[in-house]
Amino acid sequence: MKNLEKIVESYLKSPFFKLNELDLVDEFAYLYVDHFFQLNMDSYLFEDYIIKSDTMNYVHDFLYSLNPKYALEFDQVLDSKISFLQAKKKKRIDKKDYECIASYHLQDSFNLLHLFIEYWMKEKQGVKNSDYLIETFAILLEFLFQDYLESLEWKNKELYYSKMNRFIDTNVMTVHMLVELKLIDFYIHHSSLKQADFSKEDPSVRSSVSASFQKIIDDILESNQISIPFLQKYLYGMILACFMHQKILRQPSLIQVFCRLMDHAENVTIEQFMKAIGISLEMKQEKIVLRKRDYQDLKQSYLKELEDSFLKINEK
């Protein structure tokens, strides 16, 4: 318990800790896990092999369909900035390089696309200290890439694996963050973890979280850090990408609106970004929270994306 307390204390003293944002993280986290299908799902395994040139061509053609400048930039930076490697190599010294390890499955195309959007936003658009924003657009374009391949009449179910695996992985990360949030909340209110008894059932902790509680405590002790600052971007990114994708499906012209937002995202605050996509954040008692109406909109779009993915994978 003493080591766990030190880890929490260290986080609370770090520049990553922002008390007024914890409730927003908590809202997003419970929105996610409370509505995630209670299924024992392992990640879906890709089986069909795809040659390297096809992997790159799929991404190029999709980016061209959005804007030829994206495709041109992709071609120019591939291998020089975004390395498509056949095997894991030593970590590069140049932190501007982005590495994709080839598996020769369709997942490679999604990975390459994701890395390109990270490169585009960080290096071309100068987006700094807004990892959630970069992750949101990278995931959104993965969703649009799936739509694009679907429009080419792809029949293989593996087209939907990448998205479903992202849902599964995000659920695991979110449960982890909820345990950390519970620890932080207890410490803030008691100035210690000494009286915390994690062996007892706590009505404020969802069953999906309780089942993994001790394992996650062990993981925190092993990593010696609170992971919220590093994981919350995936949670925000997934939920916001679902919201934006559902809006695009209803109004396709929003693709270009959102692409322009991606092209000019430098120095955009979370409040400004949320407002631009149609969500309003409120300050209540010095805490950032979602309006009830927007919470419901986010929940419905997330559920629709999750259900659609699950149905498509399980279609006969």
Side-chain angles (χ1 to χ4, degrees), residues 277-294:
I277 65 173
I279 299 172
S280 295
L281 296 177
E282 297 180 316
M283 287 295 293
K284 285 189 177 180
Q285 299 177 339
E286 299 183 353
K287 296 176 181 178
I288 301 174
V289 295
L290 290 164
R291 293 187 307 178
K292 287 185 178 180
R293 185 184 69 189
D294 291 326

Side-chain angles (χ1 to χ4, degrees), residues 189-274:
H189 286 90
H190 299 86
S191 301
S192 170
L193 293 177
K194 292 177 182 177
Q195 302 301 316
D197 187 352
F198 304 120
S199 63
K200 293 181 179 179
E201 285 294 324
D202 186 334
S204 68
V205 178
R206 309 300 202 272
S207 59
S208 56
V209 179
S210 295
S212 307
F213 213 96
Q214 189 54 55
K215 181 184 181 303
I216 293 170
I217 294 293
D218 293 340
D219 290 343
I220 295 169
L221 289 169
E222 184 177 348
S223 65
N224 198 40
Q225 67 179 1
I226 295 295
S227 62
I228 289 172
F230 315 107
L231 296 183
Q232 72 184 62
K233 67 177 182 180
Y234 301 108
L235 171 63
Y236 284 13
M238 194 64 176
I239 291 177
L240 294 175
C242 287
F243 177 76
M244 295 168 75
H245 185 229
Q246 283 296 307
K247 293 189 78 167
I248 287 170
L249 292 179
R250 293 191 295 270
Q251 188 178 344
S253 62
L254 283 175
I255 290 179
Q256 294 306 318
V257 174
F258 290 152
C259 281
R260 285 195 295 274
L261 180 58
M262 180 177 72
D263 291 348
H264 302 283
E266 67 277 15
N267 302 318
V268 172
T269 66
I270 188 169
E271 291 86 359
Q272 291 170 332
F273 173 67
M274 293 287 200

Side-chain angles (χ1 to χ4, degrees), residues 150-167:
E150 202 171 25
S151 73
L152 300 180
E153 299 187 349
W154 273 62
K155 302 297 183 183
N156 195 318
K157 289 184 181 180
E158 292 189 12
L159 172 60
Y160 308 109
Y161 286 5
S162 180
K163 189 174 186 177
M164 199 66 210
N165 286 341
R166 187 170 285 285
F167 275 119

